[in-house]
Amino acid sequence: MAVVAVVALDETPLFHLSVPCEVLGADRTDDGLPRHEVRVARAGRGPIRSSGGVVLQAPYGLEALEDADVVIVPWWGRLAGQPLPTRLLEALRRAHARGARVAGLCGGAFVLAEAGLLDGRRATTHWKYAADLAAGYPQVRVEAQVLYVDEGDVLTSAGTAAAIDLCLHLLRSLSGAEVANAVARRMVVPPHRAGGQAQYVDVPVPEVRADDGLAVAMQWALEHLDEPMGVEELAARAVMSRRTFTRQFRQRTGTSALQWLLQQRTLLAQRLLETTDLPVEVVARRSGFGSAVTLRAHFQRALGTSPRDYRATFSREAHPVLERIAAG
């Protein structure tokens, strides 16, 4: 069980504050799911007033950050002129220096930037505030279009629903893909949206129908991830030209077909490593990576670990709760 400290500042929207509590700390033991210890910490003294005017009493102060494995800052009302406590900046720097992962949700990215934790790193925030982040902190490499950015020890997300995506991403790293997927099902949200996906899609997503060529192609791809495939073949299955397919795919998903395929193959490899004893070479072939060498290179690049170490951390033997999830 990890210790997660959530920093509550005045004017924090209740939704942003509740997301890490719900994703990482809600009691779902009736489903056999683990929970992490979430501590809501105030930066100052006295109660906290949310952006909606609700007054909250946080049970912890900044001492909650001293031994936290993860520190999350959901918001900072910087644009409304709210000052940022120096004590908080110092506490964030100390937590980061001793190895805690630090995350900023939406406007929380400004807090991490103010603490100097984003200097020289990629980061994102709500698209509406991305230009302000870039102008106010020129040492930060702002990526305005993505849902979230994981730099290993420092993470940032875009606004509102993207906070759920980042917290599920954190849960996946703490408890494995099976647990994160089960929690997403309980919350009735998509189990995984890659951080590089667009914050918003310009064209509304059409209703998926049985005669929807794009949906047919995507479903076929999911059923044949172990086979070589490219955009040309997927476009043919959708009965579209490559150009039309590429445009509609990005409109539908917010990402490219090849990036989507890579994401789905990674998720499949994670599930196989967690739930089977298949050799890594077999996992690589079944998930479409072809060889263990390619799978290892991708895992190291995307997840910062090897398939063998991932299995040691997240397999059913390492987490007996995964066996109960599969059985239930």
Side-chain angles (χ1 to χ4, degrees), residues 238-258:
V239 195
M240 297 177 184
S241 69
R242 178 185 177 120
R243 182 175 180 180
T244 299
F245 176 82
T246 300
R247 183 182 70 253
Q248 291 195 15
F249 196 97
R250 185 170 289 279
Q251 290 172 349
R252 180 77 64 91
T253 67
T255 190
S256 70
L258 292 179

Side-chain angles (χ1 to χ4, degrees), residues 109-186:
F110 286 85
V111 181
L112 273 55
E114 188 74 9
L117 302 184
L118 296 180
D119 288 356
R121 296 172 179 264
R122 297 179 304 119
T124 193
T125 187
H126 192 289
W127 59 266
K128 184 177 180 180
Y129 307 127
D132 295 301
L133 182 63
Y137 304 93
Q139 299 302 314
V140 181
R141 293 154 51 198
V142 178
E143 297 189 358
Q145 302 300 322
V146 301
L147 290 175
Y148 59 86
V149 173
D150 182 353
E151 287 283 81
D153 52 348
V154 180
L155 306 91
T156 50
S157 82
T160 315
I164 299 176
D165 295 311
L166 179 55
C167 287
L168 283 171
H169 175 73
L170 280 168
L171 180 61
R172 191 173 293 107
S173 70
L174 293 170
S175 302
E178 290 286 304
V179 170
N181 290 346
V183 169
R185 286 195 296 272
R186 278 287 297 263

Side-chain angles (χ1 to χ4, degrees), residues 11 52 59 79 98 114 122 140 158-159 170 177 181 189 195 199 231 233 240 268 297 302-303 328:
E11 297 303 315
L79 300 179
R98 64 170 175 75
E114 188 74 9
R122 297 179 304 119
V140 181
L170 280 168
N181 290 346
V189 297
Q199 286 192 26
V231 177
E233 182 171 3
M240 297 177 184
L268 176 56
L303 304 176

Side-chain angles (χ1 to χ4, degrees), residues 282-297:
V282 176
V283 170
R285 290 198 301 270
R286 289 197 180 182
S287 56
F289 285 99
S291 70
V293 172
T294 302
L295 180 62
R296 279 195 292 270

